[in-house]
């Protein structure tokens, strides 16, 4: 078992495993970020890679082996990620299940829930969406109103969720609903809902870059079996808050991954005029690009430092709320600089006259605007940092 | 700068009020959405432009002697500001400002009498073909024009060319001598729609307006098509551009103001944590700071327009000030519009995205923030 190998042997074993198992056709391919993208690389190779990773538990390496993970500690999981990056490989198992629900179920789920729900996530077979936000409950999530009634042998859900990312492509939904109106946070319950349930209706909403990313999700007398309750009735807020922590940590690493996918320096070298010494002729743009690259690199180091502190059993010094905002700012700036570098080539929406790369970067710029909104807005993260981390008084 | 710059006179107030009413009644933002869905060949709604013509807006910059009103740039700036509020797509700036000014400033009597009445009456509209590279750079014109017998032959590319769709006239900046980057050697040409040797590709842009990529492949124009002096077109082009920049900056201030007002309204109505989100000081300060930035840009825009009408020698400095600040204010306000609306701001259904996309294209048109900051610095001698 990989998990039992001493660190140095482990690195070598992973190295060898990757050499044998990673399809070379996928080298350097864009890693998926949400699990709903079409497969990358030559036909069949992505599926093969996914299967091999799933067999080894490497998609969710820190999960216990019995639930589809590899049972690795964080140090070994980090080595796995490093070796993958070294080999030009990527983790093919992504999505809200792997990033948020899995770790939450490991902590709060029943044995049966873990056995049923974790392995399909670890194999990338079933996709999950997050039914938290409602029209009247965004930043003030605990104001949610979707009703959940205890009908004896099942729960009954009535209400509406909104901004449910990928609900139209998902098999399951983890949702929070109101079981009691007596207390705000203390009346919330966390449930697992099969998206095939009768009474569940999904309407995709288009984003400003033209992509259908999220949905309105309507619940009309949706029955949920009792065994799909996570934690206790009226105690769902604690579960949800932990899940949001996993979401914010996950999003923070995605922002760093963005920087690797879109190498602004190399794009600038291709698009911008260069001085004879090879530097950008536009010194103003060069300075601002450099400033961004400084933040980007320092941000990656901060993520690494946080992870190192966790491994060493120390309390991480950088709060998740701070990290999330640092990440979204790096991501937003990447988008802004990308369109500035492309200049007139960044005005395209679709069709003739622009390359795929140009259209993709312009779309990324528009999409990046949600980095500081989803997973808790920029302002809310700042409130959390100020009030919970710095102990500043609430107004 | 005289105080007159900042207070519209009666005639200007009337124009502005008329434009405000018309934009509200006839050109809601749904008109832009319709344009996007229908993807019209013109890139604007000809019926709406027809109404603008009827209201006399294409004659505002045409001197009285040539059959227009000779009202000046502050007047059309006020109209552009109102149009900007609802992101109204029209060739007004390309045609009734840039091309009209180019003809008024550089045209000989024949050219004026041939084209101005047609632009004025709305029979045709005109486009400006200038951009070639990824960045705005008027002296960088590379498209070649060479004399062959009695005619000029044009070869090269232009992209983006705004409002080219069904334009009856294109004013083309071409290089007649020297190399790209030389200030000498640029000549302006009047290229009629039916000129042989041109082909166009329609571009679909983020702001849903009309833009094209043009290829000139042995396009022949007779000697009468030269607008202004041969090889000495750049100073005239820059004068024309400054006027278009100032009016565009006014349009941008209109869009910015609307984006801001919509956002402030939302802060007052959206409730979270049992109170309007505008009750949170973090958001109050954001709104207050935005207002400051917008007001700076507004002053600069009106100063630029007044400087143009007064024939001030400092026009280039004022227009770069205006265009740079309008670009910054518009971009930042549109970004905040999305952010402060939260999830709904990210949806296509909401108008935030339309302002954000327009902010980008408007900033890139006739030189972005960076271009004008740099130009301002050069003009300031640093
Ligand atoms: C692309 C995208 C994907 C998403 N995916 C999902 C998903 O899969 N599942 C899901 O449940 N949700 C999802 N969301 C929703 C997201 O979590 C919410 O949009 C977010 O929490 C903000 O809520 P809201 O949209 O209601 O904005 P509001 O809460 O109405 O906020 C509006 C503005 O007010 C500010 N504000 C609010 N309260 C305060 C305060 N106390 N102090 C200062 N400022 C404040 C906010 O920061 C924001 O700028 C998604 C959103 C986006 C954009």
């Amino acid at each position: 078992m990989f998990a039992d190998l001493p660190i140095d042997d482990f690195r070598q074993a992973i190295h060898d495993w990757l050499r044998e198992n990673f399809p070379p056709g996928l080298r350097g391919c864009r890693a998926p970020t949400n699990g709903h993208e079409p497969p990358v690389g030559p036909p069949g190779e992505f599926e093969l890679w996914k299967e091999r990773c799933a067999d080894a538990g490497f998609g969710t390496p820190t999960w216990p082996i019995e639930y589809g993970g590899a049972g690795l500690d964080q140090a070994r999981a980090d080595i796995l990620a490093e070796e993958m990056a070294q080999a030009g490989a990527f983790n093919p198992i992504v999505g809200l299940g792997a990033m948020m629900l899995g770790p939450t179920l490991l902590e709060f789920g029943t044995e049966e829930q873990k056995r049923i729900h974790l392995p399909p996530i670890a194999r990338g077979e079933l996709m999950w969406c997050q039914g938290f936000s409602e029209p009247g409950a965004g930043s003030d999530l605990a104001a949610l109103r979707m009703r959940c009634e205890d009908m004896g042998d099942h729960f009954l859900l009535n209400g509406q969720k909104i901004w449910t990312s990928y609900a139209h492509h998902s098999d399951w939904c983890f949702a929070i609903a109101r079981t009691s109106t007596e207390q705000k946070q203390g009346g919330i319950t966390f449930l697992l809902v099969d998206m095939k349930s009768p009474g569940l209706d999904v309407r995709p909403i288009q984003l400003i870059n033209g992509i259908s990313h999220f949905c309105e999700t309507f619940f009309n007398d949706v029955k949920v079996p009792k065994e799909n309750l996570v934690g206790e009735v009226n105690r769902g807020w604690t579960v949800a808050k932990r899940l949001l922590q996993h979401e914010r940590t996950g999003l923070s690493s995605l922002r760093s991954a963005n920087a690797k996918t879109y190498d602004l320096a190399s794009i600038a070298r291709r698009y911008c005029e260069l001085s004879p010494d090879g530097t950008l002729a536009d010194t103003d743009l060069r300075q601002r690009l450099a400033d961004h690259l400084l933040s980007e690199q320092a941000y990656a180091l901060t993520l690494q430092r946080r992870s190192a502190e966790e491994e060493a059993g120390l309390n991480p010094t950088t709060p998740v709320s701070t990290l999330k905002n640092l990440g979204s700012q790096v991501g937003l700036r990447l988008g802004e600089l990308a369109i500035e570098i492309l200049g007139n080539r960044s005005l395209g929406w679709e069709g003739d006259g622009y390359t795929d790369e140009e259209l993709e970067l312009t779309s990324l710029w528009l999409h990046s605007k949600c980095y500081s909104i989803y997973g808790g807005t920029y302002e809310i993260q700042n409130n959390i940092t100020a009030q919970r981390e710095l102990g500043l008084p609430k107004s | 700068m005289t105080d007159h710059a900042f207070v519209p006179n009666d005639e200007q107030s009337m124009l502005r009020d008329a434009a405000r009413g018309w934009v509200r009644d006839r050109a809601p933002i749904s008109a832009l959405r319709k344009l996007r869905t229908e993807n019209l060949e013109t890139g604007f709604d000809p019926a709406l432009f027809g109404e603008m013509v009827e209201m006399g807006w294409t004659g505002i910059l045409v001197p009285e002697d040539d059959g227009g009103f000779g009202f000046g740039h502050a007047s059309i700036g006020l109209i552009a500001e109102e149009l900007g509020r609802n992101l109204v797509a029209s060739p007004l700036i390309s045609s009734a400002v840039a091309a009209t000014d180019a003809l008024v400033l550089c045209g000989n009597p024949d050219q004026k009498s041939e084209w101005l009445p047609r632009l004025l009456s709305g029979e045709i509209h005109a486009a400006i073909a200038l951009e070639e590279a990824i960045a705005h750079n008027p002296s960088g014109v590379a498209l070649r024009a060479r004399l062959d017998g009695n005619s000029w032959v044009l070869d090269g590319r232009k992209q983006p060319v705004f409002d080219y769709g069904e334009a009856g006239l294109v004013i083309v900046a071409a290089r007649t001598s020297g190399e790209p980057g030389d200030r000498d050697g640029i000549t302006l040409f009047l290229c009629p729609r039916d000129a042989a040797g041109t082909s166009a590709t329609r571009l679909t842009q983020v702001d849903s307006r009309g833009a094209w990529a043009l290829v000139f492949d042995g396009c022949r124009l007779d000697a009468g098509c030269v607008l202004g002096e041969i090889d000495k077109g750049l100073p005239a082009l820059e004068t024309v551009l400054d006027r278009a920049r100032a009016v565009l900056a006014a349009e941008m201030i209109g869009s910015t103001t609307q984006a801001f007002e919509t956002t402030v309204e939302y802060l007052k109505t959206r409730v979270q944590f049992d109170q309007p989100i505008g009750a949170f000081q973090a958001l109050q300060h954001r709104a207050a700071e935005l207002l400051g930035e917008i007001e700076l840009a507004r002053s600069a825009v009106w100063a630029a327009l007044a400087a143009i009408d007064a024939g001030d020698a400092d026009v280039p400095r004022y227009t770069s000030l205006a265009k740079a600040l309008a670009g910054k204010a518009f971009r930042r306000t549109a970004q905040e519009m999305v952010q402060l609306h939260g999830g709904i701001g990210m949806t296509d259904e909401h108008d935030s995205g339309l302002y954000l996309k327009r902010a980008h294209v408007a900033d890139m048109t006739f030189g972005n923030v960076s271009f004008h900051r740099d130009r301002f610095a050069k003009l300031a001698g640093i």
Side-chain angles (χ1 to χ4, degrees):
Chain A
M1 276 296 96
F2 287 104
D4 305 327
L5 295 173
I7 285 280
D8 288 341
D9 297 351
F10 175 80
R11 192 181 282 279
Q12 186 58 47
I14 292 295
H15 187 85
D16 296 342
W17 183 88
L18 283 167
R19 212 180 37 227
E20 277 164 39
N21 289 282
F22 181 62
L26 293 178
R27 183 164 297 136
C29 278
R30 171 107 19 115
T33 55
N34 58 56
H36 302 281
E37 303 99 329
V40 292
E45 294 206 352
F46 179 75
E47 289 79 355
L48 182 67
W49 173 229
K50 202 167 137 182
E51 191 178 313
R52 287 176 177 167
C53 271
D55 289 345
F58 284 168
T60 50
T62 57
W63 296 9
I65 292 170
E66 64 265 38
Y67 306 131
L72 304 186
D73 56 15
Q74 195 56 48
R76 284 175 177 74
D78 286 348
I79 289 175
L80 172 65
E82 279 165 35
E83 288 298 317
M84 277 204 190
Q86 201 73 54
F90 52 83
N91 185 346
I93 310 287
V94 293
L96 276 58
M99 182 164 110
M100 311 176 200
L101 180 68
T104 310
L105 273 191
L106 281 171
E107 188 175 346
F108 295 95
T110 62
E111 183 52 35
E112 196 194 358
Q113 285 169 345
K114 292 186 227 179
R115 261 196 310 102
I116 293 177
H117 294 294
L118 294 181
I121 294 175
R123 302 196 58 85
E125 288 165 358
L126 291 182
M127 300 309 291
W128 286 76
C129 62
Q130 175 184 34
F132 279 21
S133 305
E134 296 182 8
S139 296
D140 187 10
L141 183 58
L144 63 91
R145 306 227 309 253
M146 182 160 88
R147 241 175 42 238
C148 173
E149 288 166 275
D150 189 338
M151 307 302 281
D153 64 337
H154 65 269
F155 294 107
L156 198 64
L157 291 181
N158 275 294
Q160 185 197 344
K161 294 292 173 183
I162 197 163
W163 323 131
T164 329
S165 297
Y166 311 112
H168 51 324
H169 300 306
S170 293
D171 306 288
W172 281 80
C173 175
F174 49 90
I176 45 180
R178 183 151 301 287
T179 28
S180 157
T181 48
E182 261 154 52
Q183 282 182 55
K184 198 172 173 180
Q185 278 90 353
I188 291 172
T189 297
F190 193 109
L191 298 164
L192 308 176
V193 185
D194 187 337
M195 290 298 282
K196 288 187 293 295
S197 309
L200 222 161
D201 198 24
V202 167
R203 191 176 77 87
I205 307 175
Q206 247 185 39
L207 279 189
I208 57 174
N209 64 343
I211 285 169
S212 281
H213 169 121
F214 51 26
C215 302
E216 275 182 292
T217 312
F218 298 94
F219 294 75
N220 195 354
D221 282 341
V222 172
K223 285 186 186 173
V224 180
K226 279 278 165 87
E227 60 264 28
N228 290 357
L229 164 72
V230 179
E232 290 170 45
V233 170
N234 289 338
R235 293 277 159 72
W237 186 246
T238 315
V239 185
K241 267 203 317 200
R242 185 57 58 89
L243 184 133
L244 287 173
Q245 287 271 323
H246 292 304
E247 172 172 20
R248 287 162 192 167
T249 316
L251 288 174
S252 301
S253 340
L254 279 184
R255 294 294 84 84
S256 204
N258 249 8
K260 293 192 191 96
T261 314
Y262 303 98
D263 179 356
L264 282 190
S266 95
I267 298 171
R269 272 194 299 277
R270 279 186 283 126
Y271 275 87
C272 302
E273 195 189 322
L274 299 179
S275 299
D277 66 355
T279 58
L280 295 197
D282 180 343
T283 50
D284 173 46
L285 177 61
R286 178 168 176 268
Q287 290 291 337
R288 284 179 296 122
L289 183 53
D291 197 49
H292 164 71
L293 295 176
L294 298 179
S295 318
E296 194 176 83
Q297 173 120 42
Y299 176 63
L301 292 170
T302 306
L303 283 179
Q304 190 190 348
R305 178 163 64 87
R306 195 187 142 93
S307 157
E309 285 167 346
E310 274 177 338
E311 266 163 47
L314 302 171
N315 255 340
T317 45
T318 317
V320 176
S321 49
T322 305
L323 265 192
K324 204 243 164 198
N325 277 358
L326 290 171
S328 67
Q329 292 310 295
V330 165
L332 283 165
R333 202 119 84 94
L334 186 149
E336 288 293 338
L337 284 164
I339 56 167
E340 192 172 345
I341 290 167
L342 296 190
N344 282 329
R345 310 291 318 170
S346 69
L347 304 181
W349 177 252
E350 62 181 19
D352 293 341
Y354 299 97
T355 67
D356 288 347
E357 181 189 36
E358 290 162 359
L359 293 174
E360 182 180 331
L361 286 167
T362 304
S363 174
L364 173 78
W365 161 64
L366 289 167
H367 194 258
S368 70
K369 300 300 174 200
C370 69
Y371 297 165
S372 50
I373 297 174
Y374 63 20
T377 67
Y378 182 76
E379 291 74 26
I380 293 299
Q381 300 310 304
N382 274 345
N383 285 348
I384 293 175
T385 304
Q387 290 162 9
R388 280 195 226 145
E389 304 293 337
L390 301 178
L392 293 174
K394 284 196 177 191
S395 59
Chain B
M1 188 48 50
T2 70
D3 285 356
H4 297 303
F6 307 109
V7 185
N9 60 29
D10 292 348
E11 169 189 288
Q12 290 167 339
S13 301
M14 269 166 59
L15 271 175
R16 184 196 52 207
D17 294 347
R20 185 166 294 172
W22 180 82
V23 167
R24 191 186 51 226
D25 300 339
R26 301 288 302 144
I29 207 148
S30 55
L32 181 70
R33 293 183 181 274
K34 184 160 156 260
L35 191 67
R36 183 174 70 164
T37 325
E38 293 177 351
N39 203 12
L40 295 181
E41 196 39 52
T42 43
F44 61 88
D45 179 347
L48 284 183
F49 186 56
E51 292 179 28
M52 295 184 194
V53 173
E54 263 171 46
M55 288 183 286
W57 297 354
T58 45
I60 286 176
L61 297 183
V62 178
E64 283 176 287
D65 288 349
D66 294 306
F69 302 111
F71 277 167
H73 292 78
S75 298
I76 202 157
L78 284 164
I79 293 173
E81 178 171 349
E82 296 305 320
L83 295 175
R85 278 190 169 263
N86 284 1
L87 307 176
V88 182
S90 87
L92 199 72
I93 292 181
S94 297
S95 189
V97 181
T100 297
D101 272 335
L103 280 160
V104 169
L105 286 170
C106 318
N108 60 37
D110 286 348
Q111 291 169 331
K112 287 188 194 176
S113 62
E114 181 180 0
W115 295 108
L116 282 177
R118 300 172 71 193
L119 291 180
L120 189 86
S121 70
E123 179 195 332
I124 60 162
H125 74 269
I128 305 288
L130 166 66
E131 306 293 345
E132 299 176 26
I134 65 163
H136 178 73
N137 176 16
S139 65
V141 168
L143 179 139
R144 287 277 165 192
R146 62 189 164 78
L147 200 52
D148 180 31
N150 265 339
S151 55
W152 292 91
V153 183
L154 276 60
D155 286 290
R157 296 167 168 275
K158 293 285 180 186
Q159 176 182 351
V161 180
F162 296 113
D163 305 313
Y164 173 79
E166 292 174 16
L169 171 68
V170 187
I171 296 182
V172 185
R175 182 153 293 285
T176 37
S177 71
E179 294 304 320
D182 292 351
R183 290 191 57 84
D184 273 341
I186 292 173
T187 305
L188 300 180
F189 288 89
L190 295 166
C191 177
R193 170 103 206 156
D194 46 20
T198 60
S199 59
T201 308
R202 172 80 144 93
L203 305 171
T204 307
Q205 301 215 130
V206 287
D207 69 344
S208 310
R209 297 199 186 189
W212 280 258
L214 298 193
V215 177
F216 291 78
D217 185 8
C219 166
R220 262 176 198 279
L221 298 174
D222 65 47
C225 291
V226 172
L227 178 66
E229 273 183 81
I230 293 170
D231 284 348
K232 300 274 180 251
L234 188 60
L237 177 64
E238 282 180 337
T239 303
V240 168
L241 280 173
D242 271 337
R243 296 175 174 202
R245 285 163 179 155
V247 179
L248 176 60
E251 183 195 299
M252 292 161 76
I253 280 295
S255 308
T256 308
T257 305
Q258 185 60 56
F260 181 66
E261 287 175 5
T262 304
T263 306
V264 170
E265 198 47 43
Y266 193 70
L267 295 183
K268 292 178 187 166
T269 48
R270 169 69 172 166
V271 172
Q272 286 289 273
F273 305 100
D274 303 316
Q275 49 199 314
I277 54 174
F280 300 118
Q281 272 188 2
L283 304 193
Q284 292 178 348
H285 287 195
R286 292 265 277 286
E289 283 171 9
L290 269 186
L291 179 67
E293 181 155 355
I294 296 168
E295 290 311 308
L296 283 183
R298 195 188 305 283
S299 310
V301 168
W302 294 117
L305 291 163
I308 292 168
D309 289 339
D312 196 316
D314 260 346
V315 164
R317 223 165 123 160
Y318 278 119
T319 43
S320 277
L321 176 70
K323 187 67 172 49
L325 294 195
K328 260 171 53 170
F330 193 4
R331 276 190 189 278
R332 180 168 164 201
T333 306
Q335 156 78 38
E336 293 291 12
M337 186 182 195
V338 174
Q339 178 65 26
L340 297 180
H341 277 81
I344 189 111
M346 279 302 295
T347 66
D348 183 69
E349 241 172 282
H350 195 265
D351 293 339
S352 296
L354 302 178
Y355 284 89
L356 182 67
K357 293 172 212 176
R358 178 61 193 157
H360 178 43
V361 179
D363 178 35
M364 293 301 298
T365 306
F366 306 140
N368 65 0
V369 173
S370 181
F371 174 91
H372 286 290
R373 192 166 45 200
D374 183 62
R375 182 168 179 251
F376 186 90
K378 283 181 184 138
L379 291 166
I382 55 170

